[in-house]
Amino acid sequence: MFHAEIIGTGSYVPERVLTNCELEKMVDTSDEWIMTRTGIRERRIAGDDETNVTMGKIALERAMAKAGIGPGDLDLIVVGTNTTHPVWPSAAGHIAHLLKVPDKVPFLDVQAGCTGFNYALSVADLYVKNGFMKTAAVVGTDKLSSVTDYQDRNTCVLFGDGAGSGSPAALRTGGPSSDPTLAGMPARGTS
C-alpha cells in the first residue's frame, strides 16, 4: 500500500463579512447568545457572482501552487459540497473544466453536510493509498448563504460561505505504509 500525504493546501473566503451584530438586526439573537453557543463572531457571504465552483477553483489553484503542481499533474478531483450550482455534471466537473484539467481525469462530488470535506479526503486517500492514483485534489466548498433561512435564528447564525483544498499524493512506490494515518487522522482500527 502507498502512503498518502497532503502536499499543498489552499483556501478562499468571500470579502463580505456578516457579523453577529448584523444578525441581531435580522433575528431574535445577540452576539453573546451566538458566541456562547457556537464561538462564531462572523461568517463570510459570497457575492452574486460567486458560487461553490468559483470558490473551489480558487482554493484548488492555491493548493496546487503550494504543492508545486499543475492541472496536468492531477489524477482525480473529489469535491465535498452541498450547494452545487449549476448542479450537472458536478462541482468537481465544473472546477476541472475551469482549471483545464485533462479530460481523462475522473471527478466526483461527495454530499455529506458538514463532514463533506472529510469524506472527500477519505475517498481521495483510498485511491492514492491503493495505487490507483498518484495525485488527487480534494476540495470542500459551499455557498450556504444561498440556502440559509435568515429568519431562523437556530441555523442562520451557523452558516457562511467559503472553500478549502488539499492535494494528497503518493510518497512511497511500494510496500506497506508504516504510518496508518493521513495528516494525523487515525485510520479505522488504529489508536
Side-chain angles (χ1 to χ4, degrees), residues 80-101:
T81 188
N82 284 308
T83 55
T84 299
H85 181 76
V87 175
W88 189 84
S90 64
H94 289 290
I95 291 169
H97 176 75
L98 290 173
L99 291 174
K100 298 179 175 34
V101 172

Side-chain angles (χ1 to χ4, degrees), residues 36-99:
T36 300
R37 287 158 181 81
T38 69
I40 299 170
R41 290 191 189 283
E42 65 181 38
R43 68 264 330 119
R44 298 300 179 109
I45 304 298
D48 291 339
D49 61 334
E50 295 175 302
T51 67
N52 69 331
V53 169
T54 60
M55 293 185 291
K57 172 193 173 271
I58 295 168
L60 181 52
E61 285 174 325
R62 292 173 178 172
M64 289 189 304
K66 285 184 182 174
I69 61 174
D73 297 311
L74 298 178
D75 299 312
L76 173 69
I77 299 174
V78 186
V79 173
T81 188
N82 284 308
T83 55
T84 299
H85 181 76
V87 175
W88 189 84
S90 64
H94 289 290
I95 291 169
H97 176 75
L98 290 173
L99 291 174

Side-chain angles (χ1 to χ4, degrees), residues 19-189:
T19 66
N20 292 347
C21 293
E22 290 174 275
L23 284 171
E24 288 176 343
K25 298 171 187 170
M26 299 166 66
V27 293
D28 180 22
T29 193
S30 69
D31 178 58
E32 186 272 330
W33 187 89
I34 297 168
M35 282 297 300
T36 300
R37 287 158 181 81
T38 69
I40 299 170
R41 290 191 189 283
E42 65 181 38
R43 68 264 330 119
R44 298 300 179 109
I45 304 298
D48 291 339
D49 61 334
E50 295 175 302
T51 67
N52 69 331
V53 169
T54 60
M55 293 185 291
K57 172 193 173 271
I58 295 168
L60 181 52
E61 285 174 325
R62 292 173 178 172
M64 289 189 304
K66 285 184 182 174
I69 61 174
D73 297 311
L74 298 178
D75 299 312
L76 173 69
I77 299 174
V78 186
V79 173
T81 188
N82 284 308
T83 55
T84 299
H85 181 76
V87 175
W88 189 84
S90 64
H94 289 290
I95 291 169
H97 176 75
L98 290 173
L99 291 174
K100 298 179 175 34
V101 172
D103 290 342
K104 66 179 179 163
V105 175
F107 52 80
L108 64 113
D109 286 358
V110 176
Q111 186 174 6
C114 297
T115 58
F117 180 84
N118 294 339
Y119 285 126
L121 182 60
S122 69
V123 169
D125 180 47
L126 290 171
Y127 273 99
V128 171
K129 281 184 175 177
N130 285 303
F132 294 118
M133 309 293 178
K134 287 174 92 178
T135 305
V138 178
V139 179
T141 180
D142 268 307
K143 184 176 179 178
L144 291 168
S145 63
S146 67
V147 296
T148 298
D149 177 357
Y150 286 99
Q151 295 179 349
D152 176 8
R153 86 166 184 167
N154 294 317
T155 58
C156 74
V157 300
L158 299 173
F159 301 120
D161 304 327
S165 180
S167 297
L171 297 181
R172 294 195 187 128
T173 56
S177 171
S178 60
D179 180 5
T181 65
L182 172 64
M185 295 172 24
R188 179 176 274 177

